[in-house]
Amino acid sequence: MSPKAVNVRVLTMDSELEFAIQPNTTGKQLFDQVVKTIALREIWFFGLQYTDSKDFPCWLKLNKKVLGQDIKKNSPQTLTFKFRARFFPEEVSEELIQEITQKLFFLQVKESILTEEIYCPPETCVLLASYAMQAKHGDFNDENHRPGSLVNERLLPKRVMEQFQLSPEEWEKRVVNWWKEHRGMLKEEAMLEYLKIAQDLEMYGVNYFDIRNKKGTELYLGVDALGLNIYDKQDRLTPKIGFPWSEIRNISFNDKKFVIKPMERKSPDFIFYAPRLRINRRILSLCMGNHELYMRRRKADSIEVQQMKAQAQEEKMARLQERERIQAEIERRKQAEQEREAMRRKVDDLERSAAEARRGEYYFNVSVMGSVKSVPNIWGRTGPITATYILTFYHISNNQLASLEDQSRITKELEEKRKQAEEAQLRLKQEREEAEREHERMMERVRYEQEEKDKIVQEIEQARRLADQKAVEAQQKENEARELEEQLREAKLRVLQAQQHPNNHTNNNHYTEHPGEYGNPMEDEESDEEENNSSRNGRGVELLTNEYASRHEENRTTATTKDLNMKRKLEEERKCLRQQQKKAETREDKIYRENIFDQGIDKYQTLKKIRQGTVKRRIDEFEAM
């Protein structure tokens, strides 16, 4: 390793990666190395997060050198980054294609709920915990998951566990009751079900910023995948005013003043103020990325995305077929075990019958021989006296003779039964050995098929890796060409602006989209030193927006609303928990209850409500807050 190389530690949600970078390594080169290592292709959602020298969280700028950015060092020779989702999808089941992408989102969202960055009502926390257990452990098993085995698991937010009079064991029991209902669900399916419920939570995917309106009222600006929303300082669950991305034409800022120009030319500008210039840069960067993804979702998929979806569908079908094969094999083994057990019981019964037959014959012989030995040996013979001699020289009554004949007949029958039992036992033993040989042959065939399948899977995986490598190389070349084209376009634009406005030094960065491709917008923040030394003039982006873009999100329904059985069970869970409540509801609990149960409006109904009316009327409402 070169003496000038610097160690970099990248923490994903489920692993820790280490790299060595050179002084001239750019953010994009490091980012590309990370996504290549974890085999991630849906790169447009993610970024590298770090803490700067003033302990502020920042996103690594991809178009600048890594060592040229204000990164706080945890140790003299190591830089630490977190690989995190920066932009969130509207509909996880449609947009998250790769299994690795779903897993990273699942782990990040779960962490946000457990640490209470995202508010989740108690009953939904229990349901989500059950999906998390299915995703981690698979089907619930009475032998492996005995009472108390989940006590050390992080199941619920601390707020929820402290709010009710329930012990950890009682919480575990509630989670297990839900968990049992997920039997047969693949771990990947459980993660997706978790995300489908979590995405309906009001704070999911929202970045909040402190702002003021012209009156100086302190408010929150919420930036998410669906647009910009305004929140009251006391309520981060219920937005008061909303603007979808399709209504926004231009975003810019000048010092701490942020200006949004609506698509409606007659509408006034939407203006707010941030406490620091750095905040405006972050808002601008976040708006760029979310707007781009919002508009792309309303267009046809690119070739790359179509290929990924086709491959994901093939992999899903392969997993389903494999699950069906395994399930069928489990059923065959179970049936074979049942047959073997039935055969064993039958053999035991026959052996028991044979043993009883042998005991009956023995007792009969002893009885006869005992009566014979009691007869005097009148002939002076030596040795045992048999019944033949006795019958020859002694008069025996008809009844006694009949009794002896019956005993002789019983002896013969018992002997016959014993022989039949031995023959049946031998036959069953042969059948059992044949069944075992057949089972061995079947297992050998299964092993052979599995080896062949593994070989095919390895060949497919090798071909896929080769194709991915070529696709990455092609994408890198395409990105480099696009960057050069963008730089050339911006240079021409600056020259044109300088010719038109020789005294105007405002730096306008126009944000344009490239059809059919996903970008990974560069973070355009500056350090405090750059901020203090630079001019206070603004930056802006012109958004290529289709004002007629679909706003189907306003008519969506939540996952729990679609599933009536789940909705009913959640209501029962909520009522049961309220009976165990020991602490008062939090502010978020009260707001959620008023919205859902008192007013009957969920996240998407609220979204539709706050977007009603003209843009001008909503801006006037914002100014009056």
Side-chain angles (χ1 to χ4, degrees):
M1 184 176 67
S2 171
K4 294 184 179 180
V6 176
N7 294 325
V8 171
R9 180 182 296 115
V10 178
L11 307 176
T12 72
M13 291 304 303
D14 64 344
S15 62
E16 181 176 316
L17 310 175
E18 292 189 359
F19 304 99
I21 62 171
Q22 300 300 319
N24 61 348
T25 299
T26 65
K28 185 177 185 306
Q29 289 172 328
L30 175 59
F31 181 84
D32 289 344
Q33 195 168 2
V34 172
V35 297
K36 183 179 180 181
T37 302
I38 63 176
L40 177 73
R41 297 179 66 185
E42 296 171 89
I43 62 174
W44 43 86
F45 293 116
F46 297 90
L48 289 170
Q49 193 177 60
Y50 67 90
T51 303
D52 68 9
S53 59
K54 296 190 177 181
D55 289 330
F56 283 102
C58 303
W59 293 96
L60 185 69
K61 292 175 279 292
L62 303 186
N63 58 347
K64 294 186 178 180
K65 295 179 181 179
V66 174
L67 300 185
Q69 303 182 47
D70 183 27
I71 303 171
K72 181 179 179 179
K73 290 186 178 181
N74 295 331
S75 63
Q77 297 297 326
T78 304
L79 301 177
T80 301
F81 297 91
K82 292 180 180 180
F83 186 81
R84 295 293 184 268
R86 189 178 175 195
F87 305 105
F88 286 74
E90 292 180 37
E91 177 54 72
V92 293
S93 60
E94 295 178 3
E95 297 176 51
L96 302 186
I97 305 170
Q98 285 186 286
E99 184 181 321
I100 178 64
T101 314
Q102 296 170 3
K103 183 178 181 181
L104 291 174
F105 267 95
F106 161 72
L107 293 174
Q108 184 169 334
V109 172
K110 180 165 73 77
E111 181 69 17
S112 297
I113 290 175
L114 291 176
T115 57
E116 301 182 46
E117 293 178 22
I118 297 176
Y119 169 78
C120 183
E123 64 274 11
T124 306
C125 286
V126 177
L127 173 59
L128 291 179
S130 70
Y131 280 119
M133 290 300 98
Q134 183 74 18
K136 183 175 181 179
H137 300 289
D139 289 345
F140 176 81
N141 186 297
D142 290 312
E143 295 182 1
N144 298 335
H145 307 116
R146 297 184 179 277
S149 61
L150 304 183
V151 170
N152 295 326
E153 296 275 1
R154 287 184 67 195
L155 296 175
L156 303 164
K158 184 179 179 182
R159 164 186 60 87
V160 173
M161 298 192 70
E162 293 179 348
Q163 194 173 0
F164 301 92
Q165 294 177 334
L166 292 172
S167 65
E169 291 77 14
E170 289 172 319
W171 280 118
E172 176 185 329
K173 186 176 179 180
R174 289 185 176 276
V175 171
V176 166
N177 287 338
W178 284 94
W179 184 7
K180 291 178 179 178
E181 297 195 4
H182 308 326
R183 180 168 298 279
M185 184 180 293
L186 293 175
K187 294 182 178 182
E188 298 81 11
E189 294 174 339
M191 288 190 289
L192 200 56
E193 290 300 319
Y194 186 105
L195 289 173
K196 284 163 68 175
I197 294 173
Q199 72 181 353
D200 294 333
L201 299 175
E202 285 78 1
M203 296 176 67
Y204 164 88
V206 181
N207 286 271
Y208 297 92
F209 298 93
D210 292 307
I211 62 167
R212 297 173 184 265
N213 60 10
K214 290 179 181 179
K215 290 172 57 177
T217 306
E218 294 186 353
L219 301 163
Y220 280 127
L221 172 72
V223 182
D224 65 13
L226 302 175
L228 301 176
N229 298 318
I230 305 299
Y231 296 80
D232 185 270
K233 266 289 186 176
Q234 303 302 315
D235 181 3
R236 292 198 298 170
L237 296 183
T238 318
K240 307 304 178 186
I241 301 169
F243 302 91
W245 293 117
S246 58
E247 289 185 344
I248 298 173
R249 174 170 53 90
N250 178 279
I251 299 178
S252 62
F253 67 86
N254 191 320
D255 196 6
K256 299 178 182 179
K257 178 181 178 181
F258 209 100
V259 180
I260 296 176
K261 295 184 179 296
M263 289 294 295
E264 293 183 9
R265 300 287 179 174
K266 295 181 181 180
S267 296
D269 293 341
F270 174 38
I271 300 173
F272 57 84
Y273 300 86
R276 299 175 65 241
L277 179 61
R278 176 188 290 267
I279 301 300
N280 275 342
R281 302 185 196 282
R282 293 179 180 173
I283 293 173
L284 180 65
S285 177
L286 200 58
C287 287
M288 289 165 57
N290 276 303
H291 173 270
E292 179 181 358
L293 293 176
Y294 180 88
M295 298 309 298
R296 294 196 188 287
R297 294 182 192 110
R298 284 146 182 81
K299 298 177 182 178
D301 289 336
S302 67
I303 298 298
E304 180 187 8
V305 172
Q306 291 179 29
Q307 291 174 343
M308 279 195 289
K309 285 186 175 180
Q311 180 180 338
Q313 186 64 24
E314 290 176 2
E315 292 173 353
K316 182 179 179 180
M317 291 301 297
R319 285 198 301 270
L320 290 174
Q321 291 174 358
E322 179 67 10
R323 180 173 69 171
E324 291 174 357
R325 188 192 66 79
I326 293 173
Q327 195 65 33
E329 177 63 23
I330 290 173
E331 290 298 323
R332 284 196 297 270
R333 291 186 182 183
K334 189 182 296 183
Q335 185 176 357
E337 288 295 329
Q338 291 173 351
E339 292 175 354
R340 181 182 297 179
E341 181 63 21
M343 192 179 298
R344 186 188 64 79
R345 287 196 299 268
K346 191 173 180 180
V347 168
D348 291 344
D349 291 341
L350 290 171
E351 288 178 346
R352 195 179 302 111
S353 299
E356 290 175 355
R358 284 193 295 271
R359 281 197 300 272
E361 179 184 3
Y362 171 76
Y363 291 141
F364 173 73
N365 286 335
V366 169
S367 176
V368 171
M369 291 304 294
S371 62
V372 168
K373 285 181 179 180
S374 64
V375 178
N377 189 349
I378 59 174
W379 296 102
R381 290 176 179 270
T382 59
I385 300 174
T386 66
T388 304
Y389 292 117
I390 296 170
L391 292 176
T392 304
F393 295 99
Y394 283 86
H395 172 72
I396 299 175
S397 68
N398 292 333
N399 291 337
Q400 290 174 328
L401 184 60
S403 176
L404 287 174
E405 290 175 351
D406 289 342
Q407 290 178 350
S408 177
R409 179 176 51 79
I410 291 172
T411 300
K412 291 179 180 179
E413 290 177 355
L414 290 173
E415 180 65 22
E416 186 66 27
K417 287 184 178 179
R418 185 181 65 79
K419 290 180 180 180
Q420 292 176 357
E422 289 177 351
E423 290 174 358
Q425 184 177 2
L426 180 61
R427 186 171 59 254
L428 288 173
K429 181 180 179 181
Q430 292 172 349
E431 291 177 356
R432 181 169 56 191
E433 291 174 352
E434 179 61 29
E436 289 176 351
R437 285 194 296 271
E438 179 62 27
H439 180 70
E440 279 298 319
R441 285 195 296 269
M442 182 177 67
M443 292 303 300
E444 186 65 28
R445 186 167 62 253
V446 169
R447 283 193 291 269
Y448 175 75
E449 291 175 354
Q450 184 62 38
E451 289 174 358
E452 288 297 312
K453 181 176 180 180
D454 291 343
K455 190 182 299 183
I456 294 173
V457 169
Q458 290 175 0
E459 292 175 356
I460 294 174
E461 183 64 20
Q462 185 176 358
R464 187 186 66 79
R465 283 197 298 266
L466 183 60
D468 288 346
Q469 182 179 353
K470 292 182 178 179
V472 169
E473 293 174 355
Q475 186 68 34
Q476 289 176 346
K477 292 179 180 179
E478 191 174 350
N479 290 341
E480 291 172 1
R482 188 167 65 245
E483 288 174 6
L484 290 173
E485 182 182 349
E486 184 70 15
Q487 292 173 6
L488 179 61
R489 188 188 62 80
E490 289 181 359
K492 290 180 178 179
L493 182 61
R494 284 194 294 269
V495 171
L496 181 61
Q497 289 176 343
Q499 292 174 348
Q500 294 176 348
H501 308 285
N503 297 322
N504 186 359
H505 299 288
T506 301
N507 184 11
N508 289 318
N509 282 349
H510 291 268
Y511 167 52
T512 58
E513 297 186 286
H514 299 274
E517 298 173 9
Y518 284 87
N520 198 14
M522 308 298 182
E523 183 66 24
D524 202 12
E525 300 172 14
E526 296 180 16
S527 65
D528 285 345
E529 290 75 9
E530 293 173 321
E531 180 180 319
N532 293 333
N533 296 330
S534 65
S535 69
R536 312 296 283 185
N537 290 328
R539 303 174 70 84
V541 291
E542 190 77 25
L543 304 182
L544 296 180
T545 301
N546 180 1
E547 59 182 316
Y548 301 108
S550 168
R551 287 160 56 169
H552 53 265
E553 67 270 15
E554 298 174 10
N555 297 316
R556 279 176 62 180
T557 55
T558 62
T560 53
T561 302
K562 295 176 185 177
D563 191 333
L564 296 179
N565 182 51
M566 183 185 294
K567 183 179 180 181
R568 176 183 58 79
K569 290 198 65 177
L570 281 172
E571 179 63 20
E572 293 175 357
E573 188 76 43
R574 187 179 71 88
K575 290 179 180 178
C576 291
L577 287 176
R578 292 199 67 177
Q579 295 174 357
Q580 301 291 330
Q581 190 164 337
K582 69 176 181 180
K583 284 189 177 182
E585 289 182 322
T586 64
R587 182 172 60 194
E588 287 77 14
D589 289 329
K590 293 178 182 178
I591 294 171
Y592 179 84
R593 176 172 49 78
E594 290 172 358
N595 288 343
I596 300 297
F597 301 106
D598 296 346
Q599 300 181 38
I601 57 173
D602 58 29
K603 173 180 178 178
Y604 305 108
Q605 291 168 330
T606 300
L607 193 67
K608 187 173 184 178
K609 179 181 177 182
I610 64 172
R611 291 176 173 184
Q612 291 177 348
T614 63
V615 176
K616 181 180 183 305
R617 184 183 69 79
R618 280 175 272 155
I619 293 175
D620 291 341
E621 288 180 7
F622 168 72
E623 296 299 342
M625 292 180 72

